[in-house]
Amino acid sequence: SSSKIKVDLDSSNGVAIMQFQSPPVNSLSLDFLTEFAINLEKLELDRGCRGVIITSAQPKVFSAGLDILEMYQKSPEHYTEFWKAVQDMWLKLYGSTKVTIAAINGSSPAGGCLLAMCCDYRIMADNPRYSIGLNETQLGIVAPFWFKDTMLNVVGHRETEKGLQLGLLYSTSEALKVGLVDELVPEDKVLSTATETMTKWLAIPDHARQISKSMMRKPTIDKLLANREADIVNFVNFTTKDSIQKSLGMYMEMLKKRKS
Ligand code: CO8
């Protein structure tokens, strides 16, 4: 299968750019997640890499989130494997020792928002057509506790409570206002701003920054590690429910109809 993620490591500055190139919308399929984990693991072990910028090679979309087809009319075994891969993506990115920056050059719903929230810094294209947020409830599904924890750690309790219940997709200016993204820049400046920001973060000694990052994130990571199996069982039980399958089916239909 062709590569869904392109990785360029600049050996002169230790910065890797990871570009999502899985048309049409960089949905997080099992194949995508597996490739993501392998690439990130490689960079994590590479002492020549100090920072990672994630961005999209697709127009208009950063990532559409989890691939709904992986959660629709499949076997419990498939859901188990898929969910392990989603957990693994989060554990690797949220727990990365590298400086991670999201260059959000398009819409970023649900799992796409999660990817961005895992990074140390978020720069988004200032385009009124783009939105970002954990919109799960709008699909009739529930963001798991570690999605919630990740958002809580970025925007705080009150905003997470509102955002999660309403399944809010924030406009770029709203996202900036609540702190879901750190900066808005013109679309053609997203990547260059990410690179400039990376330089600032890399000016800090790695070990001191890494210990500080770990101090902030370890309790959240440990919580999933201690509950991984139960979280999988919960996902499989939830996803195999008729009512949930029906909601997902209707949502897919809505996406298709909306097009024409
Ligand atoms: N999964 C699978 N297919 C998708 C997804 C997706 N997440 N998103 C879009 N597609 C498909 C569309 O159906 C469409 O297919 P087709 O060409 O066959 O009709 C194609 O991709 C292109 O989509 P659009 O025409 O909609 O493209 P646009 O550029 O107009 O819009 C958007 C791009 C904004 C990304 C839009 O597609 C969108 O809003 N997608 C849905 C995003 C979404 O709601 N994702 C939520 C996924 S759930 C999740 O990530 C977390 C789940 C947590 C676990 C829950 C426990 C049960």
Side-chain angles (χ1 to χ4, degrees):
S1 67
S2 66
S3 172
K4 296 179 187 306
I5 299 168
K6 184 166 169 276
V7 183
D8 284 305
L9 173 59
D10 183 341
S11 53
S12 71
N13 59 8
V15 178
I17 300 183
M18 245 189 174
Q19 269 192 308
F20 305 152
Q21 46 176 25
S22 185
V25 292
N26 294 328
S27 67
L28 308 176
S29 62
L30 185 53
D31 285 348
F32 184 105
L33 293 168
T34 305
E35 223 185 280
F36 183 86
I38 290 170
N39 280 313
L40 194 60
E41 180 75 18
K42 253 192 233 160
L43 294 172
E44 200 63 42
L45 297 171
D46 186 343
R47 298 193 60 185
C49 172
R50 298 179 62 212
V52 181
I53 295 171
I54 59 172
T55 193
S56 168
Q58 302 309 128
K60 299 188 294 181
V61 183
F62 178 70
S63 166
L66 302 189
D67 192 323
I68 296 167
L69 295 172
E70 302 279 13
M71 305 186 278
Y72 189 59
Q73 295 182 344
K74 301 277 191 300
S75 66
E77 292 72 28
H78 182 85
Y79 296 145
T80 301
E81 193 187 359
F82 178 61
W83 200 246
K84 272 193 185 135
V86 179
Q87 290 179 336
D88 208 41
M89 168 205 78
W90 181 84
L91 289 167
K92 287 203 164 70
L93 187 58
Y94 201 63
S96 174
T97 62
K98 310 295 176 186
V99 174
T100 53
I101 295 180
I104 313 165
N105 51 351
S107 281
S108 198
C113 175
L114 182 73
L115 270 176
M117 290 192 303
C118 284
C119 292
D120 296 308
Y121 197 82
R122 282 159 288 285
I123 296 153
M124 190 164 185
D126 194 5
N127 183 327
R129 301 165 71 116
Y130 299 162
S131 62
I132 180 167
L134 294 181
N135 61 321
E136 277 79 355
T137 57
Q138 290 197 39
L139 287 72
I141 61 180
V142 182
F145 71 87
W146 41 286
F147 283 48
K148 175 266 294 174
D149 286 341
T150 310
M151 183 166 180
L152 185 65
N153 294 348
V154 174
V155 300
H157 197 283
R158 174 63 188 141
E159 198 54 47
T160 302
E161 190 168 303
K162 260 196 300 182
L164 273 189
Q165 288 194 55
L166 296 172
L168 288 182
L169 283 171
Y170 298 85
S171 69
T172 54
S173 57
E174 290 163 343
L176 180 68
K177 195 171 140 215
V178 302
L180 185 54
V181 299
D182 296 296
E183 214 174 315
L184 297 179
V185 300
E187 187 129 23
D188 61 344
K189 294 279 187 296
V190 174
L191 203 53
S192 58
T193 308
T195 307
E196 286 157 23
T197 307
M198 184 60 86
T199 306
K200 283 188 218 157
W201 283 66
L202 291 181
I204 306 299
D206 279 334
H207 72 282
R209 187 194 49 73
Q210 284 165 355
I211 292 169
S212 302
K213 180 172 180 175
S214 166
M215 183 168 67
M216 294 301 293
R217 297 189 176 197
K218 195 172 179 295
T220 308
I221 290 169
D222 286 348
K223 206 164 124 193
L224 178 60
L225 288 176
N227 293 288
R228 246 190 124 160
E229 289 309 317
D231 182 60
I232 293 170
V233 170
N234 185 57
F235 174 76
V236 175
N237 286 343
F238 192 77
T239 311
T240 47
K241 277 195 171 86
D242 284 344
S243 56
I244 298 305
Q245 285 295 305
K246 218 175 139 191
S247 292
L248 290 174
M250 276 160 46
Y251 190 74
M252 290 297 289
E253 275 307 303
M254 184 279 287
L255 279 179
K256 292 204 190 315
K257 282 207 190 99
R258 198 188 49 143
K259 254 181 137 171
S260 41

